[in-house]
Amino acid sequence: MTIDLTKTDDGCALLTLSRPKAMNALSFDILRRIGAALDEVAGWRDVRALLITGAGDKAFCAGADIKELRNRSLTDQKRGAELGQAVFARLDRLPVASVALVNGYAFGGGAELAMACTFRLASPNAVFGLPEIKLGLIPGYGGTQRLPRLVGEARALEIIMTGRNVTADEAERIGLINAIAEGDLIQAGRDFAGRFTRYSLPVLECARRAVQRAADAPLHEGLQTEAELSTLAYRTRDAEEGMAAFEGKRKPEFRDE
């Protein structure tokens, strides 16, 4: 088994990369399996967040399976990059937020998978890196685009052009991860998700879409998107319930409507 997809009892889906002997490396077949798993999660109406981690305690994901990258045509290489990009982009389109739980190494495609998630938590021993430059390559699954959005252009260029490692402490300091989690990382992820999953899913999705727009649009276009999405949120029954609960000094009962 290379992919394990389960549900927790608190409304989370848990996707585990399960190739611990290969440090959970990404073959093209595994990329396709991840895509299929994300499509499955998108259809689950009883799931309120997606957690992604790697089996074992050595690696979240050590990146692409290098053996598959040798002696390929340029057309095949481009298609492979587009496959990885398309699979990871599905995380943006999920109706629920995703949380990468980085245990150990997150190199190359593994770091790119983590960056594609909505949030990132890491164990103290986590190490991030985009070492493609050391192989005469550059990141191809979104790393050159997502890393600058998280840590800024200058720092992203330095990390990519040197191929150096980033420890969990540095990753937290520069904004690559949301927090370092001691102890049980999966439980930490469930606890983290519980901080937002109690709210209305349609409204949470509106918030995600608005913030995502800020990354690739001029300010005036982003503000227009915000106005449209805030109006859409206002039209939900959950918005009516939230405001009524506030006035009535009670806890709202959101129904994702």
Side-chain angles (χ1 to χ4, degrees):
M1 181 180 296
T2 56
I3 295 292
D4 185 29
L5 181 62
T6 60
K7 295 181 185 179
T8 67
D9 57 11
D10 53 359
C12 292
L14 176 62
L15 174 61
T16 304
L17 307 181
S18 188
R19 291 182 73 197
K21 291 184 179 180
M23 299 183 74
N24 303 317
L26 296 172
S27 65
F28 293 121
D29 177 64
I30 290 175
L31 280 173
R32 295 185 183 93
R33 289 171 184 260
I34 292 173
L38 296 179
D39 289 342
E40 187 173 356
V41 171
W44 286 348
R45 299 308 173 198
D46 55 343
V47 164
R48 307 187 67 79
L50 170 64
L51 310 178
I52 301 179
T53 194
D57 57 4
K58 291 184 177 180
F60 171 74
C61 173
D65 194 330
I66 301 300
K67 294 189 297 293
E68 290 191 342
L69 300 183
R70 298 293 307 280
N71 303 314
R72 307 179 75 229
S73 70
L74 295 181
T75 298
D76 286 341
Q77 177 61 21
K78 186 170 185 288
R79 287 174 177 168
E82 290 171 342
L83 171 64
Q85 291 175 359
V87 168
F88 293 172
R90 294 185 201 184
L91 288 162
D92 288 332
R93 299 192 297 272
L94 280 182
V96 297
S98 53
V99 185
L101 305 177
V102 181
N103 47 322
Y105 297 117
F107 288 158
E112 290 169 308
L113 173 57
M115 288 189 286
C117 291
T118 315
F119 304 106
R120 284 154 296 284
L121 301 183
S123 59
N125 70 328
V127 182
F128 297 83
L130 293 170
E132 288 87 349
I133 202 76
K134 298 177 182 179
L135 302 178
L137 303 169
I138 69 169
Y141 293 171
T144 66
Q145 304 304 301
R146 290 191 173 91
L147 187 59
R149 286 167 165 81
L150 291 170
V151 305
E153 180 180 335
R155 198 182 302 272
L157 277 170
E158 184 254 330
I159 291 171
I160 290 170
M161 293 176 66
T162 64
R164 70 175 179 85
N165 292 346
V166 177
T167 65
D169 287 337
E170 182 184 0
E172 183 179 34
R173 186 172 70 252
I174 66 178
L176 180 55
I177 63 174
N178 294 87
I180 296 173
E182 302 282 353
D184 188 329
L185 188 57
I186 292 177
Q187 186 58 53
R190 294 169 66 176
D191 293 342
F192 181 88
R195 293 163 54 186
F196 59 82
T197 53
R198 63 181 182 271
Y199 300 121
S200 167
L201 285 184
V203 177
L204 286 169
E205 187 172 6
C206 285
R208 288 170 56 215
R209 296 287 177 265
V211 173
Q212 288 166 350
R213 184 62 172 156
D216 56 12
L219 179 60
H220 70 279
E221 292 183 12
L223 290 172
Q224 181 61 40
T225 298
E226 180 183 87
E228 293 169 355
L229 288 169
S230 65
T231 302
L232 184 62
Y234 181 80
R235 292 184 59 188
T236 64
R237 293 182 180 179
D238 285 335
E240 182 178 346
E241 163 63 12
M243 290 183 285
F246 178 81
E247 289 189 349
K249 297 181 179 180
R250 60 176 175 82
K251 184 178 179 180
E253 296 182 8
F254 295 124
R255 301 182 182 276
D256 299 331
E257 298 175 348

